[in-house]
Amino acid sequence: MPRTPLARWALAALAAPLAIAPCLAQSLPTPAGSPPATPQAPADGSPTMPDRRPGQANQTRPILQAGDLSLNESGAQYRSESRDARIGARLGRDWGAGGGTRIDIDYARLLGDTWALGANVSAGTEHQEFMLNGLYSPTKDLHLGLSLGWLRDTDTYRFHSGPDEVAVDQTSALLRVIKRFDQGSWLTQLNASAYTARARKPDVPDAVMVEETPTLIRFLVDPREIAPGRLQGFNLGMGVAPWANAEFKFTLGRERVRYRFQDGSGEKDSRTTTGLGYTHALPGCWQIDGNANTGVAGDRLSFGVRRGKWNLALAHDAGAVGMKARTSLMLGLEVPLDGRTPRCTTLSQRQTAGVRRLDEVYQRPRELPTRVLAKVDLTAVPVLLASLDKAGLGGATVSATPEALIIKLPVPAVAVAQVALNGVLSNNLGSDGRPLIWVQDGSLYLGIRRFPNPGAGATTPVSVVVVMSDASLTLVDFNAVGY
């Protein structure tokens, strides 16, 4: 009985359980009576706030009082009875890494003479962060600080198959010891810090790569692995006040970051870190703040200007090697929780123990990275899923997913009628209980990774009878080659 060939293709796979070699699809007569079967960073070292200890204020008697929330003739108000608290909010925009609007909120409160608590929250399109800061003061001039943070950063990673945006989570912790000195001394403080940060490996789906030559189409699967980093560091610092209205803070330390790759290898980078902070109070209630920090997690610069309750900050975060730099401009409004307008203070007035403690838990620790420590794992190389001889395709077209080869014949397929492996009829099920070959949306799917592996260099002939939409039968033959 004559047969008309519809398609011919050659396939080979390397890292899959099989490979497909020359095959032939042909029309068969329909048996009588056989019916057809049935897809930045926040500015590090935010400018410190002026002293906002309030005096007495005239208050309207509230009509309704519920904790710190009151309703009266003037509307709704939020007041804190504590004189030792502050909150600040900044709204800004990132440039250099996709853009987007971001809001930062900082909060601090003194809990008696011994404890202080603060938090830093940042929310944006590409950057979300929460930092909790605590401070214990056994004496007025000795402080122990602890900060715990969570960060999620979205960045573009350049895989073998092309760039793609991936969100990576990271946790961090910092322990600090601070020794303060009396007001009026040129040496304002000595401090030591130890800290760590660890990124979590994200689950990135595989991607299919297509390489085409004049005679072949090759389908490869890119595993797209990201190697998370782990940072460990320490530093020593000091603060000096050469003038009554200016203060410098210096830090010197050492950092090390390690990346582990999927093949068992790794990468390490150690570097000496430096930090410089500068605060200068000017006439007219103006204040200038600047910070510069270097480290294995990237160099960071920030500059801020404030007057009263308003502030403007510009920050640049280079990120780790291979990451795109991120620049942000933030406009901020800081308000004391007692509801009073902050009064202008000099830098010397800010040396009081209470204000210093409030500053420590109000500011985000500048040692902790504002970008995640992650890079593309280039040891996870693409593997060949299948190669196909273009001359034998006939009118068929072929595409692929990471798990299957998709063959679209000139006539839509309806169902798989029969599958034979090495000349023996098969139940068309792989070791996982799923079909080896199936029809979906009129196309024939070959579950490449589901076929049994015949062994390196061995070949298993496969024959498939497919029911077409015109009630004809098509025979598809190919060879599964082991590895």
Side-chain angles (χ1 to χ4, degrees), residues 295-320:
V296 293
D299 299 337
R300 288 166 282 165
L301 302 172
S302 67
F303 178 79
V305 178
R306 79 174 58 250
R307 187 175 190 273
K309 61 183 180 180
W310 295 97
N311 63 80
L312 185 69
L314 179 66
H316 178 80
D317 190 336

mmCIF file of all heavy atoms in Angstrom, residues 295-320:
data_model
loop_
_atom_site.group_PDB
_atom_site.id
_atom_site.type_symbol
_atom_site.label_atom_id
_atom_site.label_comp_id
_atom_site.label_asym_id
_atom_site.label_seq_id
_atom_site.Cartn_x
_atom_site.Cartn_y
_atom_site.Cartn_z
ATOM 1 N N GLY A 295 32.501 48.965 50.242
ATOM 2 C CA GLY A 295 32.450 47.591 50.710
ATOM 3 C C GLY A 295 32.226 46.634 49.571
ATOM 4 O O GLY A 295 32.010 47.037 48.418
ATOM 5 N N VAL A 296 32.261 45.321 49.872
ATOM 6 C CA VAL A 296 32.085 44.312 48.825
ATOM 7 C C VAL A 296 30.659 44.316 48.288
ATOM 8 O O VAL A 296 30.404 43.830 47.194
ATOM 9 C CB VAL A 296 32.438 42.920 49.367
ATOM 10 C CG1 VAL A 296 33.903 42.813 49.681
ATOM 11 C CG2 VAL A 296 31.606 42.580 50.588
ATOM 12 N N ALA A 297 29.718 44.853 49.057
ATOM 13 C CA ALA A 297 28.335 44.927 48.592
ATOM 14 C C ALA A 297 28.092 46.142 47.705
ATOM 15 O O ALA A 297 26.968 46.355 47.256
ATOM 16 C CB ALA A 297 27.377 44.960 49.779
ATOM 17 N N GLY A 298 29.141 46.933 47.440
ATOM 18 C CA GLY A 298 28.996 48.097 46.578
ATOM 19 C C GLY A 298 29.276 49.388 47.316
ATOM 20 O O GLY A 298 29.105 49.486 48.535
ATOM 21 N N ASP A 299 29.710 50.388 46.585
ATOM 22 C CA ASP A 299 29.957 51.707 47.156
ATOM 23 C C ASP A 299 28.663 52.493 47.193
ATOM 24 O O ASP A 299 27.859 52.445 46.266
ATOM 25 C CB ASP A 299 31.001 52.455 46.320
ATOM 26 C CG ASP A 299 32.340 51.726 46.290
ATOM 27 O OD1 ASP A 299 32.587 50.931 47.213
ATOM 28 O OD2 ASP A 299 33.113 51.950 45.344
ATOM 29 N N ARG A 300 28.477 53.238 48.296
ATOM 30 C CA ARG A 300 27.248 54.007 48.476
ATOM 31 C C ARG A 300 27.577 55.440 48.882
ATOM 32 O O ARG A 300 28.422 55.669 49.750
ATOM 33 C CB ARG A 300 26.367 53.355 49.541
ATOM 34 C CG ARG A 300 25.707 52.067 49.100
ATOM 35 C CD ARG A 300 25.142 51.308 50.265
ATOM 36 N NE ARG A 300 26.194 50.609 50.998
ATOM 37 C CZ ARG A 300 26.053 50.105 52.219
ATOM 38 N NH1 ARG A 300 24.926 50.234 52.854
ATOM 39 N NH2 ARG A 300 27.042 49.461 52.800
ATOM 40 N N LEU A 301 26.891 56.365 48.271
ATOM 41 C CA LEU A 301 27.057 57.787 48.560
ATOM 42 C C LEU A 301 25.682 58.398 48.812
ATOM 43 O O LEU A 301 24.706 58.050 48.149
ATOM 44 C CB LEU A 301 27.725 58.515 47.391
ATOM 45 C CG LEU A 301 29.105 58.013 46.952
ATOM 46 C CD1 LEU A 301 29.526 58.718 45.663
ATOM 47 C CD2 LEU A 301 30.139 58.257 48.041
ATOM 48 N N SER A 302 25.623 59.322 49.774
ATOM 49 C CA SER A 302 24.374 60.041 50.008
ATOM 50 C C SER A 302 24.678 61.459 50.467
ATOM 51 O O SER A 302 25.689 61.712 51.119
ATOM 52 C CB SER A 302 23.504 59.322 51.054
ATOM 53 O OG SER A 302 24.115 59.356 52.328
ATOM 54 N N PHE A 303 23.788 62.358 50.090
ATOM 55 C CA PHE A 303 23.923 63.770 50.476
ATOM 56 C C PHE A 303 22.530 64.307 50.750
ATOM 57 O O PHE A 303 21.607 64.103 49.956
ATOM 58 C CB PHE A 303 24.593 64.568 49.355
ATOM 59 C CG PHE A 303 24.715 66.039 49.664
ATOM 60 C CD1 PHE A 303 25.717 66.508 50.503
ATOM 61 C CD2 PHE A 303 23.821 66.939 49.126
ATOM 62 C CE1 PHE A 303 25.826 67.859 50.787
ATOM 63 C CE2 PHE A 303 23.919 68.292 49.402
ATOM 64 C CZ PHE A 303 24.922 68.755 50.240
ATOM 65 N N GLY A 304 22.364 64.955 51.892
ATOM 66 C CA GLY A 304 21.051 65.463 52.271
ATOM 67 C C GLY A 304 21.107 66.883 52.809
ATOM 68 O O GLY A 304 22.097 67.301 53.400
ATOM 69 N N VAL A 305 20.028 67.607 52.572
ATOM 70 C CA VAL A 305 19.854 68.967 53.088
ATOM 71 C C VAL A 305 18.508 69.022 53.784
ATOM 72 O O VAL A 305 17.514 68.512 53.265
ATOM 73 C CB VAL A 305 19.904 70.010 51.944
ATOM 74 C CG1 VAL A 305 19.674 71.405 52.499
ATOM 75 C CG2 VAL A 305 21.239 69.932 51.216
ATOM 76 N N ARG A 306 18.468 69.616 54.959
ATOM 77 C CA ARG A 306 17.198 69.746 55.678
ATOM 78 C C ARG A 306 17.061 71.146 56.249
ATOM 79 O O ARG A 306 18.039 71.832 56.539
ATOM 80 C CB ARG A 306 17.097 68.703 56.795
ATOM 81 C CG ARG A 306 17.868 69.039 58.038
ATOM 82 C CD ARG A 306 17.599 68.043 59.157
ATOM 83 N NE ARG A 306 17.922 66.693 58.760
ATOM 84 C CZ ARG A 306 17.000 65.763 58.560
ATOM 85 N NH1 ARG A 306 15.715 66.037 58.725
ATOM 86 N NH2 ARG A 306 17.346 64.549 58.207
ATOM 87 N N ARG A 307 15.802 71.531 56.408
ATOM 88 C CA ARG A 307 15.478 72.777 57.081
ATOM 89 C C ARG A 307 14.161 72.560 57.808
ATOM 90 O O ARG A 307 13.129 72.349 57.185
ATOM 91 C CB ARG A 307 15.356 73.950 56.113
ATOM 92 C CG ARG A 307 15.191 75.300 56.818
ATOM 93 C CD ARG A 307 15.202 76.466 55.820
ATOM 94 N NE ARG A 307 15.269 77.741 56.506
ATOM 95 C CZ ARG A 307 14.197 78.418 56.961
ATOM 96 N NH1 ARG A 307 12.990 77.896 56.771
ATOM 97 N NH2 ARG A 307 14.348 79.562 57.574
ATOM 98 N N GLY A 308 14.217 72.586 59.136
ATOM 99 C CA GLY A 308 13.033 72.307 59.924
ATOM 100 C C GLY A 308 12.587 70.877 59.734
ATOM 101 O O GLY A 308 13.365 69.936 59.840
ATOM 102 N N LYS A 309 11.335 70.701 59.390
ATOM 103 C CA LYS A 309 10.783 69.359 59.233
ATOM 104 C C LYS A 309 10.944 68.813 57.819
ATOM 105 O O LYS A 309 10.643 67.649 57.568
ATOM 106 C CB LYS A 309 9.306 69.345 59.600
ATOM 107 C CG LYS A 309 8.440 70.251 58.727
ATOM 108 C CD LYS A 309 6.997 70.242 59.203
ATOM 109 C CE LYS A 309 6.111 71.155 58.347
ATOM 110 N NZ LYS A 309 4.713 71.151 58.810
ATOM 111 N N TRP A 310 11.438 69.618 56.865
ATOM 112 C CA TRP A 310 11.586 69.173 55.489
ATOM 113 C C TRP A 310 13.029 68.775 55.206
ATOM 114 O O TRP A 310 13.965 69.357 55.750
ATOM 115 C CB TRP A 310 11.174 70.275 54.508
ATOM 116 C CG TRP A 310 9.720 70.616 54.586
ATOM 117 C CD1 TRP A 310 9.144 71.640 55.284
ATOM 118 C CD2 TRP A 310 8.655 69.906 53.966
ATOM 119 N NE1 TRP A 310 7.787 71.624 55.131
ATOM 120 C CE2 TRP A 310 7.448 70.556 54.327
ATOM 121 C CE3 TRP A 310 8.588 68.790 53.145
ATOM 122 C CZ2 TRP A 310 6.216 70.125 53.888
ATOM 123 C CZ3 TRP A 310 7.357 68.360 52.710
ATOM 124 C CH2 TRP A 310 6.189 69.022 53.081
ATOM 125 N N ASN A 311 13.209 67.755 54.349
ATOM 126 C CA ASN A 311 14.559 67.369 53.959
ATOM 127 C C ASN A 311 14.555 66.825 52.546
ATOM 128 O O ASN A 311 13.544 66.322 52.045
ATOM 129 C CB ASN A 311 15.144 66.349 54.931
ATOM 130 C CG ASN A 311 14.366 65.049 54.940
ATOM 131 O OD1 ASN A 311 14.548 64.206 54.056
ATOM 132 N ND2 ASN A 311 13.501 64.877 55.920
ATOM 133 N N LEU A 312 15.697 66.922 51.908
ATOM 134 C CA LEU A 312 15.900 66.438 50.550
ATOM 135 C C LEU A 312 17.180 65.614 50.544
ATOM 136 O O LEU A 312 18.212 66.064 51.056
ATOM 137 C CB LEU A 312 16.025 67.609 49.570
ATOM 138 C CG LEU A 312 16.115 67.261 48.080
ATOM 139 C CD1 LEU A 312 14.788 66.695 47.589
ATOM 140 C CD2 LEU A 312 16.491 68.507 47.260
ATOM 141 N N ALA A 313 17.144 64.387 50.018
ATOM 142 C CA ALA A 313 18.300 63.496 50.037
ATOM 143 C C ALA A 313 18.526 62.899 48.659
ATOM 144 O O ALA A 313 17.581 62.472 47.991
ATOM 145 C CB ALA A 313 18.107 62.388 51.064
ATOM 146 N N LEU A 314 19.780 62.853 48.242
ATOM 147 C CA LEU A 314 20.197 62.239 46.994
ATOM 148 C C LEU A 314 21.154 61.107 47.330
ATOM 149 O O LEU A 314 22.110 61.305 48.081
ATOM 150 C CB LEU A 314 20.882 63.262 46.084
ATOM 151 C CG LEU A 314 21.410 62.752 44.734
ATOM 152 C CD1 LEU A 314 20.253 62.320 43.836
ATOM 153 C CD2 LEU A 314 22.251 63.826 44.049
ATOM 154 N N ALA A 315 20.906 59.906 46.813
ATOM 155 C CA ALA A 315 21.731 58.743 47.136
ATOM 156 C C ALA A 315 22.085 57.970 45.885
ATOM 157 O O ALA A 315 21.305 57.908 44.925
ATOM 158 C CB ALA A 315 21.000 57.829 48.121
ATOM 159 N N HIS A 316 23.270 57.364 45.888
ATOM 160 C CA HIS A 316 23.743 56.540 44.775
ATOM 161 C C HIS A 316 24.294 55.245 45.342
ATOM 162 O O HIS A 316 25.158 55.254 46.223
ATOM 163 C CB HIS A 316 24.825 57.268 43.975
ATOM 164 C CG HIS A 316 25.386 56.454 42.845
ATOM 165 N ND1 HIS A 316 24.742 56.324 41.640
ATOM 166 C CD2 HIS A 316 26.534 55.728 42.743
ATOM 167 C CE1 HIS A 316 25.466 55.561 40.835
ATOM 168 N NE2 HIS A 316 26.555 55.177 41.490
ATOM 169 N N ASP A 317 23.791 54.118 44.851
ATOM 170 C CA ASP A 317 24.212 52.796 45.310
ATOM 171 C C ASP A 317 24.708 52.015 44.103
ATOM 172 O O ASP A 317 23.936 51.693 43.200
ATOM 173 C CB ASP A 317 23.039 52.063 45.975
ATOM 174 C CG ASP A 317 23.471 50.795 46.688
ATOM 175 O OD1 ASP A 317 24.517 50.238 46.312
ATOM 176 O OD2 ASP A 317 22.771 50.367 47.622
ATOM 177 N N ALA A 318 26.022 51.726 44.066
ATOM 178 C CA ALA A 318 26.596 51.037 42.916
ATOM 179 C C ALA A 318 26.219 49.569 42.885
ATOM 180 O O ALA A 318 26.234 48.941 41.821
ATOM 181 C CB ALA A 318 28.115 51.182 42.920
ATOM 182 N N GLY A 319 25.862 48.983 44.042
ATOM 183 C CA GLY A 319 25.530 47.567 44.089
ATOM 184 C C GLY A 319 26.773 46.699 43.935
ATOM 185 O O GLY A 319 27.893 47.194 43.746
ATOM 186 N N ALA A 320 26.594 45.372 44.033
ATOM 187 C CA ALA A 320 27.701 44.445 43.881
ATOM 188 C C ALA A 320 28.157 44.413 42.424
ATOM 189 O O ALA A 320 27.490 44.939 41.529
ATOM 190 C CB ALA A 320 27.293 43.059 44.356
#
